[in-house]
Amino acid sequence: MNKSYWGITQEELFLFNCGSSHHSYRFMGAHPIRWRGKPGVRFAVWAPEAKRVAVVGDDLGWDTEGACLEQVGSTGVHIGFVETISPGSRYKYRIVTAEDDIVLKSDPYAFYSERRPSTASIVYGLPEFTWSDQAWYKTQQKTPSYNQPLLIYEVHAGSWRIKGKEHYYTYEELAEMLIPYVLEWGYTHIEFLPLMEHPLDQSWGYQVTGFYSPTSRYGTPEQLKYFINECHRHGIGVILDWVPGHFCKDAHGLRRFDGSPLYEGADWKRAELPLWGTLSFDYAKSEVVSFLISNAIYWIEQFHFDGLRVDAVATMLDLHMDKPPELHTLNADGGRLNLNAIAFLRALNETVFHYYPHLLMLAEDSSSYASVTKPTDLGGLGFNYKWNMGWMNDMLRYMASSPADRTQQHHLVTFSIWYAFSENYVLPLSHDEVVHGKRSLLNKMWGSYEQKFAQLRLFYGYWIAHPGKKLLFMGGEWGQFDEWKDEHMLDWEVLQYESHQRMHRYVKELNYLYRSLPVLWQNDFDPACFQWIDVNNASQSQLSFIRKSESGMLLAIANFSLHHYCEYRIGAPMSGIYTLLLHSNEVKYGGNTTVLQRDVYSEEIPMHGQAYSISIELPPFTFLLYAFQSEE
């Protein structure tokens, strides 16, 4: 186990073959090193079925047989040291398959790549970066994320702001604009759509060719590190969308990498994902597991990401998901669960939390699989958060319906509380809901132009007060009217109009209110934090509830109807003063309420099963939030 191949040990290769290499990127791929006093680049690539693997590129020529790599025993890994290649050079692997075909492949472990449509890998290595975010990590380690506010601003770097068509801001330039904006609007985290190298802009990064390559669209790896370092210095966390479920079929990518189905499974029915035109990873192969788990650690260790939002978990778990019947397969037990994917996800989360206990691991999962956020030793998948797709779908369906129909759909608003504490949920209002003809959040709302704004304010208020952490896609904060157009910049110009300006102000103040009230985030996942006051008022499309913690108690009231009530009585659990914190229909937010009664005193009039009650004015499409304090 002591033999070394240009610095790569047999033990490292053994762990890679066993699926237990958590840092395989440290020796796989292209690494500029000095060997016996000579500078060069060491290459290592997994291609077990290849007859021959060589490196070709700028320094060796592209139409030559290249510099041949040595296959190390039965490991399937080809390794070599090439003196004539220098950092910054473009390269690919020239692979001779078992059928004597010749294919040119990008490096699966490339740390940097050409900008599309070019497809070569670039020798880059792992250069040192001077981080100055130690204070951020000390702060994060003091309190678990469960007991902190989590208010995520989801961003697509190629359309938040751009200079022109396909003329993007660099990561450094984005730092100058995006960080101050996120700070001013009160978000705790930025979540980026995938930043790995991908050939098609319209895939938004979800169809990857370079899993270890920060996309060159927005600059260099060092510039991305600079962005994250600056976020941390200003108290902002950064989450990365990560895609371990599938990969592109592009000829230079992972598909049939060595002439055989290597990263994908040999069973084409399992490998094919026709809905996306991609191939799923084969989690039964230990080397694929090493590749993926090391990739997660790479982004956390090398770039200091604070969390990974794992994409399409439902598709990973379900062998039938997004597939026509002719592609359905069964597992060894005769079921449709992908048992290898389950084992992989558990190993992934165990590994990540072993090294980084305070990291955020969020599952984008629309399945009914139980215990996604439970520890693996209790039978769970081991994530610490899961997107609440059910809440999102129900609420958007409800908000799009007419007030007349809402009396028959009241359950869509209330059902989520039945399962709200079964997982650690994030309430996502993400990019997926405002694209491909689905319309923007504002334009999903029922009614006239003014009613749409009123209902979006109502919806956001209910979203903030509902148990669970929060995520909002860019543009939603000012009520972008058109749906997201990924090739164009957000419609910032609408902020010249008063209605959007006032929506912008509302969301900003709502964000600050959320962060300033620990009762809204301290006990998000404890059923004791929530109590219905009036849950069954379907005929009037209204509801009210309590949020409570050791920090206090809040009373939330939502009117989803067209009716205006001058005197509306709400049950109150305690005697005292209820102080108005938020009124979504205030003029300053775009509503028409000018006179506000800030303090309301409870009366000893039983209502809604409570010993006390308060009487308030309740305009249509309005959300109200009150803080309780005793009369003493």
Side-chain angles (χ1 to χ4, degrees):
M1 283 274 181
N2 294 321
K3 187 174 180 180
S4 171
Y5 301 90
W6 295 281
I8 302 176
T9 67
Q10 286 184 321
E11 181 181 7
E12 287 175 316
L13 296 175
F14 174 77
L15 291 174
F16 173 73
N17 288 139
C18 291
S20 302
S21 177
H22 302 158
H23 300 88
S24 61
Y25 69 87
R26 294 179 183 175
F27 58 88
M28 298 293 284
H31 291 264
I33 63 170
R34 295 185 70 87
W35 187 253
R36 295 178 179 172
K38 296 181 179 180
V41 179
R42 183 192 65 211
F43 294 90
V45 61
W46 180 52
E49 298 301 318
K51 285 186 176 179
R52 183 178 187 271
V53 178
V55 179
V56 296
D58 289 338
D59 297 328
L60 296 167
W62 291 96
D63 297 322
T64 68
E65 292 190 354
C68 188
L69 306 182
E70 171 188 338
Q71 182 165 353
V72 179
S74 60
T75 65
V77 179
H78 299 249
I79 307 175
F81 178 72
V82 185
E83 296 178 24
T84 53
I85 293 183
S86 57
S89 295
R90 299 178 305 156
Y91 72 97
K92 282 188 177 181
Y93 293 116
R94 182 181 185 272
I95 297 174
V96 180
T97 72
E99 290 75 28
D100 290 319
D101 294 323
I102 297 174
V103 294
L104 292 181
K105 291 287 187 178
S106 300
D107 190 345
Y109 283 86
F111 302 124
Y112 198 39
S113 303
E114 282 189 291
R115 183 168 173 175
R116 56 93 182 98
S118 299
T119 59
S121 302
I122 296 174
V123 175
Y124 205 84
L126 299 169
E128 291 293 327
F129 181 84
T130 303
W131 294 93
S132 56
D133 58 356
Q134 294 79 11
W136 164 259
Y137 282 109
K138 288 181 181 178
T139 301
Q140 293 304 297
Q141 291 168 4
K142 289 179 181 178
T143 308
S145 63
Y146 307 113
N147 295 324
Q148 295 185 45
L150 187 58
L151 183 59
I152 303 167
Y153 187 58
E154 188 188 31
V155 174
H156 176 248
S159 58
W160 185 73
R161 284 191 185 274
I162 56 176
K163 300 175 183 178
K165 184 174 175 59
E166 299 185 13
H167 192 191
Y168 305 113
Y169 286 105
T170 66
Y171 298 112
E172 285 183 330
E173 291 170 328
L174 281 172
E176 296 176 5
M177 299 180 293
L178 182 55
I179 293 173
Y181 180 82
V182 168
L183 276 174
E184 183 180 357
W185 254 257
Y187 296 97
T188 64
H189 290 71
I190 298 168
E191 179 177 322
F192 276 116
L193 272 61
L195 296 177
M196 302 86 177
E197 197 57 75
H198 54 283
L200 181 66
D201 293 350
Q202 289 75 21
S203 79
W204 317 325
Y206 289 102
Q207 296 187 7
V208 180
T209 50
F211 278 81
Y212 287 82
S213 275
T215 177
S216 54
R217 289 168 175 81
Y218 316 127
T220 67
E222 273 58 49
Q223 289 176 314
L224 176 56
K225 291 176 183 179
Y226 171 84
F227 178 93
I228 297 170
N229 190 60
E230 288 300 297
C231 283
H232 288 173
R233 290 202 317 109
H234 290 88
I236 300 169
V238 189
I239 300 168
L240 176 67
D241 277 16
W242 187 60
V243 193
H246 64 142
F247 57 88
C248 291
K249 291 184 176 182
D250 294 62
H252 66 285
L254 298 180
R255 178 178 179 267
R256 298 190 67 86
F257 185 78
D258 60 358
S260 70
L262 189 61
Y263 286 86
E264 68 273 34
D267 184 345
W268 67 276
K269 291 184 178 181
R270 287 204 179 183
E272 288 286 344
L273 290 173
L275 182 66
W276 297 333
T278 56
L279 296 169
S280 58
F281 281 102
D282 184 1
Y283 308 106
K285 293 193 180 85
S286 51
E287 292 87 353
V288 171
V289 172
S290 286
F291 173 80
L292 290 172
I293 291 181
S294 294
N295 186 245
I297 297 298
Y298 165 78
W299 290 105
I300 300 164
E301 184 173 88
Q302 292 294 313
F303 292 88
H304 288 203
F305 278 103
D306 300 284
L308 300 177
R309 177 273 207 181
V310 180
D311 183 60
V313 169
T315 302
M316 297 172 67
L317 294 175
D318 189 346
L319 293 169
H320 296 182
M321 186 78 169
D322 297 328
K323 293 188 176 186
E326 61 268 22
L327 294 185
H328 288 180
T329 59
L330 299 176
N331 62 32
D333 298 330
R336 58 189 286 176
L337 284 176
N338 188 332
L339 303 179
N340 293 317
I342 292 172
F344 161 71
L345 290 171
R346 287 173 174 164
L348 166 71
N349 288 315
E350 288 172 358
T351 304
V352 167
F353 290 125
H354 170 75
Y355 294 107
Y356 304 98
H358 292 85
L359 204 83
L360 305 175
M361 292 295 288
L362 305 97
E364 188 263 325
D365 177 29
S366 59
S367 76
S368 58
Y369 188 90
S371 302
V372 171
T373 58
K374 295 296 187 294
T376 57
D377 57 359
L378 297 179
L381 293 183
F383 289 94
N384 50 9
Y385 293 99
K386 173 182 175 175
W387 277 21
N388 193 336
M389 311 294 280
W391 172 88
M392 177 272 300
N393 284 316
D394 285 350
M395 283 304 303
L396 292 181
R397 178 182 165 195
Y398 181 83
M399 297 306 297
S401 65
S402 71
D405 292 334
R406 287 177 184 176
T407 59
Q408 305 301 316
Q409 300 185 35
H410 194 67
H411 63 283
L412 294 176
V413 189
T414 61
F415 178 65
S416 59
I417 296 300
W418 287 99
Y419 62 86
F421 308 106
S422 62
E423 303 275 8
N424 303 330
Y425 281 117
V426 172
L427 306 183
L429 299 173
S430 76
H431 67 279
D432 273 331
E433 311 318 315
V434 295
V435 73
H436 291 162
K438 296 179 183 178
R439 297 179 293 173
S440 68
L441 290 179
L442 177 65
N443 204 15
K444 289 178 190 289
M445 304 296 114
W446 174 90
S448 67
Y449 186 73
E450 291 78 12
Q451 289 170 330
K452 288 179 182 293
F453 277 97
Q455 291 188 92
L456 188 59
R457 294 193 302 270
L458 161 63
F459 177 44
Y460 283 162
Y462 182 65
W463 167 67
I464 281 290
H466 190 288
K469 306 305 185 184
K470 322 297 176 187
L471 177 143
L472 180 65
F473 184 58
M474 61 184 196
E477 68 273 22
W478 69 69
Q480 172 150 321
F481 196 83
D482 288 341
E483 69 176 18
W484 174 46
K485 303 175 287 292
D486 52 65
E487 292 182 308
H488 302 279
M489 185 167 66
L490 288 179
D491 297 334
W492 293 93
E493 63 272 15
V494 303
L495 283 172
Q496 64 184 299
Y497 301 107
E498 188 177 54
S499 54
H500 294 277
Q501 291 172 5
R502 292 183 173 184
M503 176 62 77
H504 211 191
R505 175 178 181 176
Y506 176 74
V507 171
K508 181 178 181 179
E509 294 189 12
L510 192 65
N511 289 351
Y512 276 86
L513 190 66
Y514 168 76
R515 293 190 62 172
S516 68
L517 296 172
V519 67
L520 290 176
W521 41 261
Q522 270 180 337
N523 298 326
D524 260 325
F525 311 119
D526 182 353
C529 81
F530 184 91
Q531 176 188 338
W532 285 116
I533 296 297
D534 186 12
V535 61
N536 295 317
N537 195 349
S539 62
Q540 292 180 305
S541 299
Q542 292 157 9
L543 54 81
S544 53
F545 58 87
I546 293 290
R547 289 296 307 271
K548 52 189 174 179
S549 75
E550 60 271 20
S551 299
M553 184 177 75
L554 302 175
L555 171 61
I557 304 164
N559 180 12
F560 294 97
S561 79
L562 272 169
H563 298 292
H564 188 138
Y565 299 90
C566 294
E567 294 184 6
Y568 192 83
R569 188 163 292 278
I570 298 287
M574 300 180 70
S575 174
I577 303 168
Y578 291 80
T579 300
L580 184 66
L581 300 179
L582 180 73
H583 194 303
S584 71
N585 197 50
E586 272 198 77
V587 169
K588 66 178 180 178
Y589 301 138
N592 53 26
T593 299
T594 56
V595 179
L596 300 174
Q597 184 180 0
R598 291 293 177 185
D599 291 333
V600 182
Y601 292 81
S602 65
E603 300 175 82
E604 200 170 342
I605 300 175
M607 191 74 180
H608 299 133
Q610 309 299 317
Y612 306 92
S613 60
I614 61 174
S615 180
I616 61 171
E617 181 180 2
L618 187 58
F621 302 140
T622 297
F623 178 83
L624 306 175
L625 189 65
Y626 290 89
F628 169 80
Q629 56 180 324
S630 66
E631 292 182 276
E632 291 79 19

